[in-house]
Amino acid sequence: MSLTAAVLGAGYFAGFHHEAWDRMEGVTLIGVANRTVDKARATGFPAFASLEALFDAVGVPDIVDVATAPRTHVAAVQTALAAGCRMIICQKPFCDDIDQARQLTEDAAAVGAHLVIHENFRWQPWYRALKAAMDRGDIGTFHQGNFRMRPGDGQGPGAYLDRQPYFQTMPKFLVHETAVHWVDTFRWLFGPVHAVYADLRQMNPAIAGEDAGYILFDHGQGVRSVFDGNRLLDHKTEHHRLTMGEALIEGTGGTLRLKGDGSVWLRKFKSMEETAVLAPYTGGRFGGDCVFRLCEHVARFLRGEGVLENTARDYLKVLEMEEAIYKSSETGCRQEVTP
């Protein structure tokens, strides 16, 4: 089954989307739309100044992939829905606030369209390997997990300007833009969350939002996970943005460790030896090629393969947790959330 796709956006990260669709077997990228049409032309694909212009010229594709800034998401998804597209992928952060996200989710459901959030970290190969190892019982009964985010890209007045300069002006940054990746991934790896406690702080005065903090997730039945993020500090690796940090997942039968090179290691309980679960990633693509993996998952679903992950309706839980995290940090109190 041959499919068509179109991408809205021609910025830094949208380039990963263009490349993914272009090399995907059985999918044709029929156009790129961007308000600055010269940037769309620079991609080498058919270029348009808007989604409307793209639809008028080449028709409505099977997949519309929105890869622009959050403030544009509502209008873009509504445009795709009105044109009759029934598979829409929307980059995160999903909308400006949870009320917008809820309404957009209902708008898509009302016309029978699939709305998928491009939350790609759970598609990174090391998290797939960690999940498979846990499901096999490699570490026995899971007790706790943590991730130390240390990309080392947030120091000084020039922080983020080379890739995504709008990071500097976001009033909510570490959680809304970045830690939300692990909010979603922790739910997927460790199970539903019952409560959160957060302590967030701003370290770099050149930016508007928070860039460091701790988040404690209560998964019930004594299970806990911790996100420990600081964008100013680094970790021991050659490529700091590959995994953006290191993880440790512990159970009654052993421990899984994610290193900064993308490798995963298993140490059995009371053992001094570690065995490799996943070799270091050497593919050279962002996040272990997670953009391609998510897009391919959507294409496979349209061909009748598998159950769709990352749906907007499920992602509303992530946004509810995000709100609770900020409220916890503001009040200094633990916040209950609906699993």
Side-chain angles (χ1 to χ4, degrees), residues 14-333:
F16 298 122
H17 293 243
H18 307 152
E19 191 273 341
W21 292 118
D22 185 46
R23 66 181 163 94
M24 194 176 303
E25 185 176 349
V27 179
T28 301
L29 181 56
I30 62 172
V32 173
N34 195 75
R35 63 180 180 178
T36 305
V37 72
D38 285 346
K39 292 182 70 174
R41 292 192 186 104
T43 67
F45 300 102
F48 306 90
S50 66
L51 279 178
E52 293 93 336
L54 187 153
F55 297 155
D56 288 343
V58 296
V60 179
D62 297 304
I63 304 163
V64 169
D65 187 1
V66 178
T68 48
R71 66 181 182 278
T72 68
H73 291 173
V74 173
V77 172
Q78 288 174 338
T79 297
L81 290 173
C85 184
R86 293 299 174 258
M87 176 58 80
I88 302 166
I89 304 173
C90 183
Q91 254 292 354
K92 46 68 57 193
F94 179 34
C95 302
D96 290 325
D97 57 58
I98 195 168
D99 290 333
Q100 280 187 346
R102 287 174 177 145
Q103 184 59 58
L104 211 52
T105 300
E106 295 306 323
D107 290 346
V111 296
H114 296 288
L115 179 56
V116 171
I117 308 308
H118 191 97
E119 179 56 78
N120 56 43
F121 272 40
R122 66 162 69 184
W123 291 95
Q124 294 176 347
W126 35 91
Y127 290 120
R128 290 325 243 204
L130 288 167
K131 175 72 168 172
M134 294 175 70
D135 290 347
R136 285 193 304 266
D138 288 359
I139 61 168
T141 301
F142 169 66
H143 275 201
Q144 60 194 49
N146 71 72
F147 184 82
R148 297 175 65 254
M149 191 193 82
R150 299 289 190 272
D153 60 354
Q155 295 189 21
Y160 320 116
L161 294 181
D162 59 336
R163 292 189 316 275
Q164 291 155 296
Y166 65 91
F167 279 7
Q168 285 208 352
T169 59
M170 295 179 72
K172 293 180 176 180
F173 176 47
L174 179 73
V175 179
H176 181 64
E177 203 291 322
T178 308
V180 70
H181 290 305
W182 286 277
V183 174
D184 177 72
T185 302
F186 279 16
R187 285 180 71 240
W188 178 69
L189 282 175
F190 308 140
V193 174
H194 297 261
V196 297
Y197 175 80
D199 179 7
L200 309 176
R201 58 200 186 278
Q202 180 190 25
M203 303 296 290
N204 185 348
I207 71 168
E210 82 286 355
D211 51 5
Y214 298 97
I215 307 170
L216 173 66
F217 300 89
D218 177 355
H219 299 272
Q221 299 182 323
V223 175
R224 301 288 188 271
S225 61
V226 176
F227 171 84
D228 168 9
N230 189 316
R231 292 204 67 141
L232 283 74
L233 306 181
D234 69 357
H235 61 290
K236 185 181 178 181
T237 188
E238 194 171 331
H239 304 292
H240 294 100
R241 283 175 51 78
L242 179 62
T243 65
M244 296 184 74
E246 301 169 338
L248 200 66
I249 298 175
E250 300 170 284
T252 56
T255 299
L256 289 162
R257 182 166 64 101
L258 166 65
K259 296 176 62 176
D261 60 6
S263 63
V264 174
W265 297 83
L266 171 65
R267 183 187 64 80
K268 286 295 189 178
F269 189 61
K270 293 186 176 180
S271 172
M272 295 294 289
E273 302 295 326
E274 284 188 318
T275 58
V277 175
L278 183 70
Y281 178 73
T282 58
R285 291 192 167 97
F286 173 84
D289 210 15
C290 59
V291 174
F292 180 89
R293 291 165 185 261
L294 190 158
C295 293
E296 183 184 42
H297 165 69
V298 170
R300 288 181 181 275
F301 172 79
L302 287 176
R303 297 189 181 104
E305 301 176 33
V307 177
L308 194 62
E309 295 187 33
N310 300 85
T311 65
R313 190 168 299 282
D314 184 60
Y315 199 74
L316 292 176
K317 288 295 181 184
V318 174
L319 300 185
E320 290 169 8
M321 289 169 61
E322 179 187 323
E323 281 198 338
I325 289 166
Y326 279 113
K327 186 174 182 181
S328 175
S329 186
E330 290 167 5
T331 62
C333 298

